[in-house]
Amino acid sequence: MKLAKFIVLLCLTNLLLGACSSKPMEKKEEPSSSKKSGFVLNNKMVDGLKQGKILDTPLDLSKVSTMADIEKVWGKPDEAIDHQDLQDYIYIKNGQRIMITENIEEEQVQYKFSFSISIATTRDEILKKMGKPKDVHAKTILQYTYNGYKIQFEKNDKNNWLVYLARSI
């Protein structure tokens, strides 16, 4: 019984000392939306998209033919989602969520792979960098086609756009 009282007293002492600590807990600062996205819509990024590439990644539609090509560089995906005819592979790199969609359907395939990233930007900035889109849907989807690559910007929230990059087969 004395041992049980001693253990309870020791636990209470630890709790009291921890609560009375003179150093306050540090509050982690949430990064702003512009800092969350590792991708920036600049001229270099635009040129890469037009050539089927997402800069600073192994994502190059002119070279990627299998998931093994990507796994050689990045390893296994953080998450995989099976949609029967489509397989989504999600990687988290530098706080950025990157989705690779593999189309495994044999018939009526429009593309084999597509890549999705998020960019903190505005509609005006997209239009300034990319020019007039081929198609516009309700001002929230802007579609472009360059060199056989489909580039689509889809508004996610105020200043955050999802960018989809696919190569037509």
Side-chain angles (χ1 to χ4, degrees):
M1 189 68 165
K2 286 184 181 183
L3 182 60
K5 286 182 181 179
F6 176 74
I7 291 174
V8 169
L9 184 59
L10 185 61
C11 289
L12 289 174
T13 304
N14 280 339
L15 285 173
L16 182 63
L17 289 175
C20 294
S21 173
S22 62
K23 184 178 179 181
M25 288 180 53
E26 293 180 20
K27 183 179 176 183
K28 286 190 175 182
E29 232 179 88
E30 279 291 316
S32 68
S33 63
S34 63
K35 292 180 182 176
K36 285 181 185 177
S37 175
F39 299 105
V40 176
L41 189 64
N42 55 27
N43 292 336
K44 195 173 175 183
M45 175 62 84
V46 169
D47 290 343
L49 291 171
K50 290 178 180 180
Q51 298 303 315
K53 302 172 188 173
I54 297 180
L55 297 181
D56 303 323
T57 73
L59 306 180
D60 183 341
L61 287 171
S62 69
K63 295 178 181 175
V64 172
S65 59
T66 66
M67 270 306 294
D69 296 334
I70 296 167
E71 288 177 358
K72 285 178 190 173
V73 179
W74 276 352
K76 296 284 184 193
D78 296 305
E79 186 179 345
I81 304 167
D82 183 356
H83 301 286
Q84 292 182 340
D85 294 341
L86 299 173
Q87 304 295 312
D88 287 336
Y89 303 100
I90 298 167
Y91 288 89
I92 308 296
K93 297 294 179 189
N94 299 324
Q96 173 69 32
R97 181 182 169 95
I98 301 166
M99 185 166 68
I100 300 159
T101 301
E102 181 179 21
N103 192 340
I104 58 175
E105 180 182 326
E106 296 296 322
E107 298 174 13
Q108 299 178 352
V109 174
Q110 294 180 356
Y111 60 88
K112 177 68 176 163
F113 282 98
S114 70
F115 305 140
S116 305
I117 61 170
S118 178
I119 291 183
T121 191
T122 63
R123 183 177 192 277
D124 290 340
E125 189 66 22
I126 294 168
L127 294 173
K128 180 179 172 185
K129 299 284 186 192
M130 297 291 296
K132 183 180 177 185
K134 178 183 174 189
D135 293 311
V136 178
H137 302 278
K139 294 187 177 184
T140 60
I141 297 176
L142 307 172
Q143 293 179 338
Y144 299 86
T145 303
Y146 291 99
N147 306 315
Y149 299 104
K150 178 182 175 184
I151 305 165
Q152 177 173 300
F153 292 85
E154 185 175 322
K155 190 170 186 176
N156 194 23
D157 60 35
K158 185 177 179 181
N159 288 324
N160 195 20
W161 290 72
L162 296 176
V163 181
Y164 299 95
L165 177 63
R167 181 180 186 185
S168 300
I169 292 180

